[in-house]
Amino acid sequence: MTVSRDPAVGALAGLRVVDASTLFAGPMTAMHLGDMGADVIKVEHPDKPDPSRTHGAAKDGVNLWWKTLGRNKRTVTANLGHPGGREVFLALAAEADIVIENFRPGTLERWGLGYDELSAHNPGLVLARVTGFGQVGPYRSRPGFGTLAEAMSGFAAMTGDPDGPPTLPPFALADGIASLATAYAIMVALAARERSGHGQVVDIAIIEPILAMLGPQITRWDQLRTVEPRTGNRSTNNAPRNTYRTRDGQWVAVSTSAQSIAERVVRLVGRPDLVAEPWFASGADRARHADELDEAVGGWIAQRTRAEVVEAFEEAQAAVAPIYDASDIVADPQFQAIGTMHEIEDPELGPTLMQSPFFRLSDNDGVIQFAGRPHGVDTDAILDELGFSATRVAELREQGAI
């Protein structure tokens, strides 16, 4: 199963990435870079593929999550704990700009593949190390997953109903945020390399990027000794802000972060008198009157269909959005207009729709050249590129190194 890849496509064309990470934060980082044109080589153990290949739904035995997560990545197998696998990895790293890994701290060093060794072969290499808790500290050797970051960052504590339990997201939220942070950190390191001429290590602890997204909770605790409460779909910063059920059994979300929007909403729902209330002039004060505001807005919305609500809010220049699932997203004209979905022809699934790169460039835009590929399918081709003879490849395969 050959792959067609245009090495000149994308803003990051010419960069080579070795993705030796598994599951989500590291592989998602490599996916983002591959979307922008980097040549990504996915390294997996010969007998233990990335576990993400078995997560989520499958069609006819073909995993669907991997088709997105593994897109734009060629795949090679190497047992890094085996001398032959180490040989392969050193050859890959010697030709790479970036290596991404998420083994427990000390693992690469135990295999003789630490940054000192890798940079001796390639001084310009950027090594991105993505772990649950970072490279130092008392938790450095603990297994680290996004769920633990969602728990320890404060996210779960402030999410859910006031009288309910702390709530975790049903998807890899912390991993996704960490992947964006890692991609950004890698680009910073590459910019620094332009000036210094040498690479460096990027240390990402998954517990940190999500914490950075949660607002000033640390400063609030430092200055006030209070913590953010769980408020369900409400906000402590403004109201009305909630989800509301429409007459046809659908749901919409309303936001009034701006004062002018809050005034338009209450006028739309027939309560212009609320604007004159002294407490209405402040988002925080409005939040303390959320029951009254939700009754006004929710009652009005409940008498109308979702389409009627959205149309009325749009005419009033007030902020509302329907609560979508995937079927709604695919059909929505705004998502279609900005190219949020992309259809790729896949050898295993045929025409396959997935989300596009999440931003657009006026030049050198990102592109999905191919979907996630079978485990190790590109091993021979990649080793040939690296100068391994057919005889040596056969020896490595016989030894279980690849």
Side-chain angles (χ1 to χ4, degrees):
M1 183 187 294
T2 58
V3 63
S4 176
R5 177 184 173 275
D6 187 341
V9 169
L12 298 184
L15 286 180
R16 174 165 285 189
V17 179
V18 175
D19 175 14
S21 60
T22 58
L23 289 172
F24 304 115
M28 288 176 75
T29 300
M31 182 195 76
H32 297 317
L33 300 177
D35 283 350
M36 292 296 114
D39 177 16
V40 181
I41 298 175
K42 172 75 174 179
V43 181
E44 298 173 89
H45 191 282
D47 304 319
K48 302 170 186 175
D50 189 328
S52 65
R53 290 181 179 272
T54 63
H55 277 57
K59 179 183 179 183
D60 299 329
V62 178
N63 182 265
L64 302 181
W65 199 334
W66 175 253
K67 285 298 174 184
T68 296
L69 188 62
R71 70 193 191 192
N72 293 328
K73 301 179 184 181
R74 297 186 291 160
T75 69
V76 63
T77 58
N79 179 354
L80 305 190
H82 186 286
R86 178 179 180 273
E87 176 189 353
V88 169
F89 194 76
L90 285 173
L92 286 166
E95 299 295 326
D97 298 280
I98 303 146
V99 168
I100 302 170
E101 64 96 5
N102 68 341
F103 299 104
R104 292 195 198 186
T107 301
L108 281 186
E109 286 74 11
R110 188 172 71 250
W111 291 334
L113 293 170
Y115 189 68
D116 288 346
E117 182 72 26
L118 297 179
S119 61
H121 292 77
N122 181 357
L125 183 70
V126 172
L127 175 63
R129 316 194 77 168
V130 188
T131 58
F133 303 101
Q135 297 296 309
V136 300
Y139 303 160
R140 65 190 292 269
S141 296
R142 288 185 181 181
F145 298 100
T147 297
L148 310 187
E150 288 144 13
M152 292 180 64
S153 64
F155 174 86
M158 66 175 68
T159 304
D161 292 327
D163 57 351
T167 301
L168 297 168
F171 63 100
L173 175 64
D175 289 286
I177 295 173
S179 76
L180 297 173
T182 307
Y184 164 66
I186 287 170
M187 300 315 294
V188 171
L190 290 176
R193 187 179 73 174
E194 290 294 310
R195 298 190 300 274
S196 69
H198 62 79
Q200 59 183 298
V201 176
V202 171
D203 177 9
I204 292 282
I206 299 174
I207 54 174
E208 289 186 299
I210 185 172
L211 191 155
M213 297 297 105
L214 294 176
Q217 61 168 334
I218 302 301
T219 306
R220 173 176 173 162
W221 170 253
D222 176 65
Q223 296 297 313
L224 301 175
R225 286 296 188 266
T226 62
V227 298
E228 191 76 25
R230 287 195 291 282
T231 59
N233 289 323
R234 288 177 171 177
S235 169
T236 57
N237 300 312
N238 63 81
R241 193 266 196 180
N242 213 327
T243 59
Y244 305 93
R245 189 163 188 154
T246 61
R247 192 183 72 201
D248 53 348
Q250 303 295 314
W251 291 85
V252 296
V254 171
S255 175
T256 56
S257 296
Q259 179 68 24
S260 59
I261 298 295
E263 294 176 6
R264 292 171 193 164
V265 169
V266 294
R267 289 192 176 104
L268 172 64
V269 302
R271 291 297 307 275
D273 57 295
L274 294 173
V275 177
E277 294 288 348
W279 51 262
F280 197 86
S282 160
D285 286 340
R286 292 200 311 274
R288 285 187 275 273
H289 291 78
D291 286 341
E292 183 177 357
L293 290 166
D294 275 348
E295 182 179 358
V297 175
W300 184 90
I301 288 174
Q303 299 173 24
R304 291 159 175 83
T305 66
R306 186 174 78 176
E308 291 169 341
V309 171
V310 171
E311 181 180 5
F313 267 72
E314 187 172 346
E315 289 178 357
Q317 299 185 43
V320 70
I323 304 294
Y324 275 175
D325 61 23
S327 65
D328 298 308
I329 295 169
V330 170
D332 184 270
Q334 181 61 31
F335 284 120
Q336 293 173 359
I338 61 177
T340 300
M341 283 77 65
H342 180 86
E343 186 173 87
I344 188 77
E345 184 67 33
D346 182 70
E348 295 179 291
L349 296 174
T352 303
L353 194 67
M354 63 181 64
Q355 60 266 38
S356 303
F358 60 90
F359 62 91
R360 288 154 294 282
L361 298 175
S362 58
D363 297 312
N364 306 115
D365 205 6
V367 65
I368 303 170
Q369 300 200 48
F370 49 88
R373 292 173 56 69
H375 176 231
V377 71
D378 302 302
T379 299
D380 287 3
I382 290 170
L383 294 187
D384 180 67
E385 290 176 13
L386 295 172
F388 285 75
S389 68
T391 300
R392 183 56 180 151
V393 171
E395 291 173 348
L396 291 171
R397 185 164 281 120
E398 178 67 24
Q399 296 167 5
I402 60 173

Coordinates of all heavy atoms in Angstrom, one line a residue, residues 11-55:
A11 N 3.0 25.2 4.7 CA 4.0 26.2 5.3 C 5.2 25.5 5.9 O 6.2 26.1 6.0 CB 3.2 27.1 6.2
L12 N 5.0 24.3 6.5 CA 6.1 23.6 7.2 C 6.8 22.6 6.3 O 7.5 21.7 6.8 CB 5.6 22.9 8.4 CG 5.0 23.9 9.5 CD1 4.6 23.1 10.7 CD2 6.0 25.0 9.8
A13 N 6.6 22.7 5.0 CA 7.2 21.7 4.0 C 8.8 21.9 4.2 O 9.3 23.0 4.3 CB 6.9 22.1 2.6
G14 N 9.4 20.7 4.2 CA 10.9 20.7 4.5 C 11.3 20.3 5.9 O 12.4 20.0 6.1
L15 N 10.3 20.4 6.8 CA 10.6 20.0 8.2 C 10.3 18.5 8.3 O 9.3 18.0 7.8 CB 9.7 20.7 9.2 CG 10.1 22.2 9.5 CD1 9.2 22.8 10.5 CD2 11.6 22.3 10.0
R16 N 11.1 17.8 9.0 CA 10.8 16.4 9.3 C 10.6 16.2 10.8 O 11.4 16.6 11.6 CB 12.0 15.5 8.8 CG 11.8 14.0 9.2 CD 12.7 13.1 8.4 NE 12.3 12.9 7.0 CZ 12.8 12.0 6.2 NH1 13.8 11.2 6.6 NH2 12.3 11.9 5.0
V17 N 9.5 15.4 11.1 CA 9.1 15.1 12.4 C 9.1 13.6 12.7 O 8.6 12.9 11.9 CB 7.7 15.7 12.7 CG1 7.3 15.4 14.2 CG2 7.6 17.2 12.4
V18 N 9.8 13.2 13.7 CA 9.7 11.8 14.2 C 8.8 11.8 15.4 O 9.0 12.3 16.4 CB 11.1 11.2 14.5 CG1 11.0 9.8 15.1 CG2 12.0 11.3 13.3
D19 N 7.6 11.1 15.2 CA 6.6 11.0 16.2 C 6.8 9.6 16.9 O 6.3 8.6 16.4 CB 5.2 11.1 15.6 CG 4.1 10.9 16.7 OD1 4.4 10.9 17.9 OD2 2.9 10.8 16.2
A20 N 7.4 9.6 18.1 CA 7.6 8.4 18.8 C 6.7 8.3 20.0 O 6.9 7.5 20.9 CB 9.1 8.3 19.3
S21 N 5.6 9.1 20.0 CA 4.7 9.2 21.1 C 3.5 8.3 20.9 O 3.3 7.9 19.7 CB 4.3 10.6 21.4 OG 3.6 11.2 20.2
T22 N 2.7 8.1 21.9 CA 1.5 7.3 21.8 C 0.3 8.0 22.4 O 0.5 8.9 23.1 CB 1.7 5.9 22.5 OG1 2.0 6.1 23.9 CG2 2.8 5.1 21.8
L23 N -0.9 7.4 22.1 CA -2.1 8.0 22.6 C -2.3 9.4 22.0 O -2.2 9.6 20.8 CB -2.3 7.8 24.1 CG -2.5 6.4 24.5 CD1 -2.5 6.2 26.0 CD2 -3.8 5.8 23.9
F24 N -2.5 10.4 22.8 CA -3.1 11.6 22.3 C -2.3 12.9 22.2 O -2.2 13.5 21.2 CB -4.4 11.8 22.9 CG -5.3 10.6 22.9 CD1 -5.7 9.9 24.0 CD2 -5.8 10.2 21.6 CE1 -6.5 8.8 23.9 CE2 -6.5 9.0 21.5 CZ -6.9 8.4 22.7
A25 N -1.7 13.4 23.3 CA -1.1 14.7 23.3 C 0.0 14.8 22.3 O 0.1 15.7 21.5 CB -0.6 15.1 24.7
G26 N 1.0 13.8 22.4 CA 2.1 13.8 21.4 C 1.7 13.6 20.0 O 2.0 14.3 19.1
P27 N 0.9 12.5 19.7 CA 0.4 12.3 18.4 C -0.4 13.4 17.8 O -0.3 13.7 16.6 CB -0.4 11.0 18.5 CG 0.2 10.3 19.6 CD 0.6 11.4 20.6
M28 N -1.2 14.1 18.6 CA -2.0 15.2 18.1 C -1.0 16.4 17.7 O -1.3 17.1 16.7 CB -3.0 15.7 19.1 CG -4.2 14.7 19.3 SD -5.3 15.2 20.6 CE -6.2 16.5 19.7
T29 N 0.0 16.6 18.5 CA 1.0 17.6 18.1 C 1.6 17.3 16.7 O 1.7 18.2 15.9 CB 2.2 17.6 19.1 OG1 1.6 17.9 20.4 CG2 3.2 18.6 18.8
A30 N 2.0 16.0 16.5 CA 2.6 15.7 15.2 C 1.5 15.8 14.1 O 1.9 16.2 13.0 CB 3.1 14.2 15.3
M31 N 0.3 15.5 14.4 CA -0.8 15.7 13.4 C -0.9 17.2 13.0 O -1.0 17.5 11.8 CB -2.2 15.2 14.0 CG -3.3 15.4 13.0 SD -4.9 15.2 13.9 CE -5.1 16.8 14.6
H32 N -0.9 18.1 14.0 CA -0.9 19.5 13.7 C 0.2 19.9 12.7 O 0.0 20.7 11.8 CB -0.9 20.4 14.9 CG -2.0 20.2 15.9 ND1 -3.3 20.0 15.4 CD2 -2.1 20.0 17.2 CE1 -4.1 19.9 16.5 NE2 -3.4 19.9 17.6
L33 N 1.4 19.5 13.0 CA 2.6 19.8 12.2 C 2.5 19.2 10.8 O 2.8 19.8 9.8 CB 3.9 19.3 12.9 CG 4.1 19.9 14.3 CD1 5.4 19.3 14.9 CD2 4.2 21.5 14.2
G34 N 2.0 17.9 10.8 CA 1.8 17.3 9.5 C 0.7 18.0 8.6 O 0.9 18.1 7.4
D35 N -0.3 18.5 9.3 CA -1.3 19.2 8.6 C -0.8 20.4 7.8 O -1.3 20.9 6.8 CB -2.4 19.7 9.5 CG -3.4 18.6 10.0 OD1 -3.3 17.5 9.4 OD2 -4.2 18.9 10.9
M36 N 0.3 21.0 8.4 CA 0.9 22.2 7.8 C 2.1 21.9 6.9 O 2.9 22.7 6.5 CB 1.4 23.2 8.9 CG 0.2 23.8 9.7 SD -0.8 24.8 8.6 CE -2.3 23.9 8.6
G37 N 2.2 20.6 6.5 CA 3.2 20.2 5.5 C 4.5 19.5 6.0 O 5.3 19.1 5.2
A38 N 4.7 19.4 7.3 CA 5.9 18.7 7.8 C 5.8 17.2 7.4 O 4.7 16.6 7.3 CB 6.0 18.8 9.3
D39 N 6.9 16.6 7.1 CA 7.0 15.2 6.8 C 7.1 14.4 8.2 O 8.1 14.5 8.8 CB 8.3 14.9 6.0 CG 8.5 13.4 5.7 OD1 7.5 12.6 5.9 OD2 9.6 13.1 5.3
V40 N 6.0 13.8 8.5 CA 5.9 13.1 9.8 C 6.1 11.6 9.7 O 5.4 11.0 8.9 CB 4.6 13.4 10.5 CG1 4.5 12.8 11.9 CG2 4.4 14.9 10.7
I41 N 7.0 11.1 10.4 CA 7.2 9.6 10.5 C 6.8 9.1 11.8 O 7.4 9.5 12.9 CB 8.7 9.3 10.2 CG1 9.1 9.8 8.8 CG2 8.9 7.8 10.3 CD1 10.5 9.6 8.4
K42 N 5.8 8.3 11.9 CA 5.3 7.7 13.1 C 6.1 6.4 13.4 O 6.1 5.5 12.6 CB 3.8 7.4 12.9 CG 3.2 6.6 14.1 CD 2.9 7.5 15.3 CE 2.2 6.8 16.4 NZ 2.0 7.6 17.5
V43 N 6.7 6.4 14.6 CA 7.5 5.2 15.0 C 6.6 4.5 16.1 O 6.2 5.0 17.1 CB 8.8 5.6 15.7 CG1 9.6 4.4 16.1 CG2 9.6 6.5 14.7
E44 N 6.4 3.2 15.8 CA 5.7 2.3 16.7 C 6.4 1.0 17.0 O 7.2 0.6 16.2 CB 4.3 2.0 16.2 CG 3.4 3.2 16.0 CD 2.1 2.9 15.3 OE1 1.1 2.5 15.9 OE2 2.1 2.9 14.0
H45 N 6.2 0.4 18.2 CA 6.8 -0.8 18.5 C 6.3 -1.9 17.5 O 5.1 -1.9 17.1 CB 6.4 -1.2 19.9 CG 7.1 -2.4 20.4 ND1 6.8 -3.7 20.1 CD2 8.2 -2.5 21.3 CE1 7.7 -4.5 20.7 NE2 8.5 -3.8 21.5
P46 N 7.1 -2.8 17.1 CA 6.6 -3.8 16.1 C 5.4 -4.7 16.5 O 4.6 -5.0 15.7 CB 7.9 -4.7 15.9 CG 9.0 -3.9 16.3 CD 8.5 -3.0 17.4
D47 N 5.4 -4.9 17.8 CA 4.3 -5.8 18.4 C 3.3 -5.0 19.2 O 2.2 -5.6 19.5 CB 4.9 -6.9 19.2 CG 5.9 -7.7 18.5 OD1 5.7 -8.0 17.3 OD2 7.0 -8.0 19.1
K48 N 3.5 -3.8 19.5 CA 2.6 -3.0 20.3 C 2.3 -1.7 19.7 O 3.0 -0.7 20.0 CB 3.2 -2.8 21.7 CG 3.6 -4.1 22.4 CD 4.4 -3.8 23.7 CE 4.9 -5.1 24.4 NZ 5.8 -4.8 25.5
P49 N 1.4 -1.6 18.7 CA 1.1 -0.4 18.1 C 0.5 0.7 19.0 O 0.2 0.4 20.2 CB 0.0 -0.8 17.1 CG 0.1 -2.3 16.9 CD 0.6 -2.8 18.2
D50 N 0.5 1.9 18.6 CA -0.1 3.0 19.4 C -1.5 2.5 19.8 O -2.3 2.2 19.0 CB -0.2 4.3 18.5 CG -0.6 5.5 19.3 OD1 -1.4 5.4 20.3 OD2 -0.2 6.6 18.9
P51 N -1.8 2.6 21.1 CA -3.1 2.1 21.6 C -4.3 2.9 21.0 O -5.4 2.4 21.0 CB -3.0 2.3 23.1 CG -1.6 2.3 23.4 CD -0.9 2.9 22.3
S52 N -4.0 4.1 20.5 CA -5.1 4.9 19.9 C -5.7 4.2 18.7 O -6.8 4.5 18.3 CB -4.6 6.3 19.6 OG -3.7 6.3 18.5
R53 N -5.0 3.3 18.1 CA -5.5 2.5 17.0 C -6.7 1.6 17.4 O -7.4 1.1 16.5 CB -4.4 1.6 16.4 CG -3.3 2.4 15.7 CD -2.3 1.4 15.1 NE -1.2 2.0 14.3 CZ -1.2 2.3 13.0 NH1 -2.3 2.0 12.3 NH2 -0.2 2.9 12.4
T54 N -6.9 1.4 18.7 CA -8.0 0.6 19.1 C -9.1 1.4 19.9 O -10.0 0.8 20.4 CB -7.5 -0.5 20.0 OG1 -6.9 0.0 21.2 CG2 -6.5 -1.4 19.3
H55 N -8.9 2.7 20.0 CA -9.9 3.5 20.7 C -11.1 3.9 19.8 O -10.9 4.2 18.7 CB -9.2 4.8 21.3 CG -8.5 4.6 22.5 ND1 -7.5 3.7 22.7 CD2 -8.6 5.2 23.7 CE1 -7.0 3.8 23.9 NE2 -7.6 4.7 24.6

